[in-house]
Amino acid sequence: MTAPFFLDCDTGIDDAMAIGWLVASPGVDLVGVSTVSGNLDAAGGARNTLDLLALLGRPDVPVSVGAHDFLDHAYSGGAPEVHGVNGVGEVRLPRAAAEPTGLSGAQAVVEAARAHAGELRLLAIGPFTNIALALELEPRLPELVKEFTVMGGAAMAPGNVSALAEANVANDPLAAHRVFTAGFNLTMIGLDVTMRHVFEESHRQRLLAVGTPGAVAIAQMLEFYFAFYAQRFGRPCAVLHDPLAAAVATGDVELAVAPTVPVVVDHTDGPARGQTIADLRDLYQGFPHTYPGGTRVALEIPGDFAGTLLDRLSTL
Amino acid sequence: MTAPFFLDCDTGIDDAMAIGWLVASPGVDLVGVSTVSGNLDAAGGARNTLDLLALLGRPDVPVSVGAHDFLDHAYSGGAPEVHGVNGVGEVRLPRAAAEPTGLSGAQAVVEAARAHAGELRLLAIGPFTNIALALELEPRLPELVKEFTVMGGAAMAPGNVSALAEANVANDPLAAHRVFTAGFNLTMIGLDVTMRHVFEESHRQRLLAVGTPGAVAIAQMLEFYFAFYAQRFGRPCAVLHDPLAAAVATGDVELAVAPTVPVVVDHTDGPARGQTIADLRDLYQGFPHTYPGGTRVALEIPGDFAGTLLDRLSTL
């Protein structure tokens, strides 16, 4: 039995790991991908996605180029210091024959949700612009989508692009606010958990040693990503933002603490712009309440996810 | 050897505990107190403070009535559900003969700072309006004050009056912003630590059994405070906001984790209004840096502070 998954991403090195996770997971039927500007521009992210999917033996997955600009401001460049200018750590992937669909990202999301009504698993690991636009095209999207998992935000953890803001949310806070308050069956995998799961150089070497084109490409990209995180951690390594969200979406990791609480996003121009404001005041009672319309906010994911990820990617 | 202390407060049940701590601490020369609206109005807080100080054998401490309204909005009522209508849990304190000084709170702060230039320990456990006004009267205040300890804010912990905002800061976010960015040698004792130190009914009974008028009065007030916190914790008890800040100010408790980082306050009208935005992005490196002009943000205070507090108040 497989379940239909749709991925919205900005590929991106950790996006590539998430794509690897989805392709390597036997329960996943990847029905489509849309891209959005974030780590790099949406068109570049789509090219990387097509090339990587071909390398992983899935040249058939349709990829749509989504929003280049954000809801209330223009895209102004990605994160070349983190992901490289080409988004995949300057690794040269073989150019795939496939081209993007003619659909916008929002259209592709809506078509997938309608085609798999009540069954679609949606995973968004870039800025939330495409999903916000899809909500305009199809207000019933929250009912059509069975489960929606996002990598983004920070509830109690520090931000990564400002004191409080995480990059995916900070790129388009208005879109994020609309998505978090739309009524999806939504799980937020934010910095509270992603910063606690680290891929080490030993993992990377073992992935490289797998020797298949996909595993080698991802391991090569990680060299660049590791160099960025070395500035933060003092050793070459990387936190596992997007693949952790993918693994939650596929049901492979346990959320030990994940209260369902109201979440809004600060989309003012104030000092908290881009912050996910999760109401965690029940903390001291152990979160006895589940709030209707709330978001499931992951606060603790125990276990050795880096090892699990290495094992899964080693099957590519 | 004693050191000069000046207290700014909104007495208030936990303020009463902090006053008890200061009076009971042999190293403290309490040179004055100012009040501000918060738990109740500034005039009522001054009355409570005068009455309590007289009961504790310190009718000589000058008390000044500070700001009734906040910098950019009017006082609109206190927290009678937490502290009672009279601010001290409906306990009837004997009315002291002393009356407030004719000074404003801001004037009293400035006079104390000038009289004890370079030596004054300032402790603020209510909204920060008086201190912000004192900064207007005396821009050199941050140099005149040796150490400034505040109870207020929440860095990574949830808020207590909104998802993110702590009451003292939320009452006057603009004043708090000015105080946090004025260049004081400033220590923030916020909800990150105060919510972790709890006075239980067994402590309260032992305080009541001390039998002296001051100890009994504080223990009686706590019955009201405990009833409020019973809604949060499921048992009669209370967290120790203001006395914990007092104990940090007097140097009696250890700050195990307390990085010095930039802190600003959201004083917009957005959803994060009243939040203390502490830049804790060095968390994953163990906070190796001390930021000039930053605030020392208490994140961990180990040990049995409730027991220490009971012991100290038992000497009243």
Side-chain angles (χ1 to χ4, degrees):
Chain A
M1 281 292 293
T2 61
F5 278 75
F6 189 97
L7 173 68
D8 186 68
C9 61
D10 55 338
T11 312
I13 298 173
D14 60 328
D15 303 71
M17 299 179 90
I19 291 168
W21 178 276
L22 293 175
V23 169
S25 295
V28 171
D29 174 18
L30 185 58
V31 299
V33 179
S34 55
T35 64
V36 61
S37 294
N39 296 327
L40 74 168
D41 67 285
R47 187 72 256 160
N48 289 341
T49 304
L50 286 164
D51 294 348
L52 181 64
L53 283 167
L55 201 66
L56 297 175
R58 291 300 309 274
D60 57 302
V61 176
V63 176
S64 302
V65 179
H68 179 78
D69 290 318
F70 304 118
L71 291 191
D72 63 7
H73 62 289
Y75 171 70
S76 62
E81 72 285 7
V82 187
H83 295 274
V85 172
N86 78 348
V88 288
E90 315 310 359
V91 170
R92 302 286 292 264
L93 297 171
R95 187 177 173 102
E99 293 295 330
T101 73
L103 299 175
S104 73
Q107 287 170 329
V109 169
V110 169
E111 288 204 2
R114 287 175 178 161
H116 304 276
E119 291 302 321
L120 190 69
R121 278 71 167 174
L122 183 59
L123 171 63
I125 57 178
F128 303 107
T129 319
N130 288 338
I131 314 302
L133 294 171
L135 280 166
E136 292 184 15
L137 294 180
E138 176 48 276
R140 291 171 52 248
L141 194 64
E143 294 97 78
L144 295 173
V145 170
K146 183 179 178 70
E147 295 174 347
F148 184 17
T149 308
V150 300
M151 191 282 131
M156 293 197 284
N160 60 4
V161 295
S162 76
L164 301 175
E166 180 279 330
N168 284 345
V169 173
N171 265 317
D172 196 340
L174 178 58
H177 179 70
R178 290 183 182 170
V179 166
F180 275 101
T181 56
F184 283 105
N185 175 12
L186 181 62
T187 300
M188 170 178 141
I189 305 302
L191 301 180
D192 304 275
V193 287
T194 67
M195 291 298 289
R196 302 295 183 179
H197 292 277
V198 179
F199 216 64
E200 302 287 350
E201 180 62 17
S202 59
H203 295 112
R204 196 183 78 82
Q205 288 298 333
R206 286 166 61 196
L207 187 60
L208 203 57
V210 170
T212 55
V216 168
I218 292 171
Q220 288 174 335
M221 296 174 198
L222 283 172
E223 189 169 3
F224 193 99
Y225 204 49
F226 276 31
F228 170 77
Y229 276 101
Q231 303 164 41
R232 304 283 179 91
F233 285 84
R235 67 181 191 280
C237 65
V239 296
L240 296 170
H241 302 301
D242 291 348
L244 186 59
V248 170
T250 58
D252 287 284
V253 299
E254 176 202 359
L255 302 181
V257 181
T260 298
V261 298
V263 176
V264 298
V265 176
D266 189 321
H267 56 92
T268 72
D269 290 324
R273 178 175 172 83
Q275 182 183 21
T276 43
I277 300 175
D279 192 340
L280 297 170
R281 282 180 281 178
D282 288 347
L283 171 69
Y284 307 102
Q285 297 180 81
F287 300 114
H289 308 300
T290 292
Y291 291 87
T295 296
R296 192 159 60 137
V297 178
L299 297 177
E300 276 188 49
I301 294 181
D304 172 27
F305 175 62
T308 303
L309 176 62
L310 175 63
D311 290 346
R312 182 82 42 110
L313 296 183
S314 296
T315 69
L316 286 172
Chain B
M1 282 292 294
T2 61
F5 278 75
F6 188 97
L7 174 68
D8 185 69
C9 60
D10 56 339
T11 313
I13 298 173
D14 60 328
D15 304 70
M17 299 179 90
I19 291 169
W21 178 276
L22 294 175
V23 169
S25 295
V28 171
D29 174 18
L30 185 58
V31 300
V33 179
S34 56
T35 63
V36 61
S37 294
N39 296 328
L40 74 170
D41 66 286
R47 187 72 257 159
N48 289 342
T49 303
L50 286 164
D51 294 347
L52 181 64
L53 283 166
L55 201 65
L56 297 174
R58 291 300 308 274
D60 56 302
V61 177
V63 175
S64 301
V65 179
H68 179 78
D69 290 318
F70 305 118
L71 291 191
D72 63 6
H73 62 289
Y75 171 69
S76 62
E81 71 285 6
V82 186
H83 296 273
V85 173
N86 78 348
V88 288
E90 316 309 0
V91 171
R92 301 286 294 263
L93 296 171
R95 186 175 173 106
E99 293 294 331
T101 74
L103 298 175
S104 73
Q107 287 170 329
V109 169
V110 169
E111 287 202 3
R114 287 175 179 160
H116 304 276
E119 292 302 321
L120 190 70
R121 277 71 165 174
L122 184 58
L123 172 63
I125 57 179
F128 303 107
T129 319
N130 288 337
I131 314 302
L133 294 171
L135 280 166
E136 292 184 17
L137 293 179
E138 176 50 276
R140 289 171 53 247
L141 194 64
E143 294 97 75
L144 295 173
V145 170
K146 184 179 176 72
E147 295 174 347
F148 184 16
T149 307
V150 301
M151 190 282 131
M156 292 197 285
N160 60 3
V161 295
S162 75
L164 301 175
E166 179 279 331
N168 285 343
V169 173
N171 266 317
D172 195 342
L174 178 58
H177 180 70
R178 290 184 184 170
V179 165
F180 276 101
T181 57
F184 284 104
N185 175 12
L186 181 62
T187 300
M188 170 178 140
I189 306 301
L191 301 180
D192 304 277
V193 288
T194 67
M195 290 298 290
R196 301 295 182 180
H197 291 278
V198 179
F199 216 63
E200 303 286 350
E201 180 62 17
S202 58
H203 294 111
R204 196 182 78 82
Q205 287 298 334
R206 287 166 61 195
L207 187 59
L208 202 58
V210 170
T212 56
V216 168
I218 292 172
Q220 288 174 333
M221 296 173 198
L222 283 171
E223 189 170 2
F224 194 100
Y225 203 51
F226 276 30
F228 171 77
Y229 276 101
Q231 303 164 40
R232 303 283 179 93
F233 285 85
R235 65 181 192 279
C237 65
V239 296
L240 296 170
H241 301 302
D242 291 349
L244 186 60
V248 170
T250 58
D252 287 282
V253 300
E254 177 202 358
L255 302 181
V257 180
T260 298
V261 297
V263 175
V264 298
V265 176
D266 189 320
H267 56 92
T268 71
D269 291 324
R273 177 174 172 83
Q275 182 183 20
T276 44
I277 300 174
D279 192 340
L280 296 170
R281 281 180 281 178
D282 287 347
L283 171 69
Y284 306 101
Q285 298 179 79
F287 301 114
H289 308 300
T290 292
Y291 292 87
T295 296
R296 192 160 60 136
V297 178
L299 296 177
E300 275 189 48
I301 294 181
D304 173 27
F305 175 62
T308 303
L309 176 62
L310 174 64
D311 290 345
R312 182 82 41 113
L313 296 183
S314 295
T315 69
L316 287 172

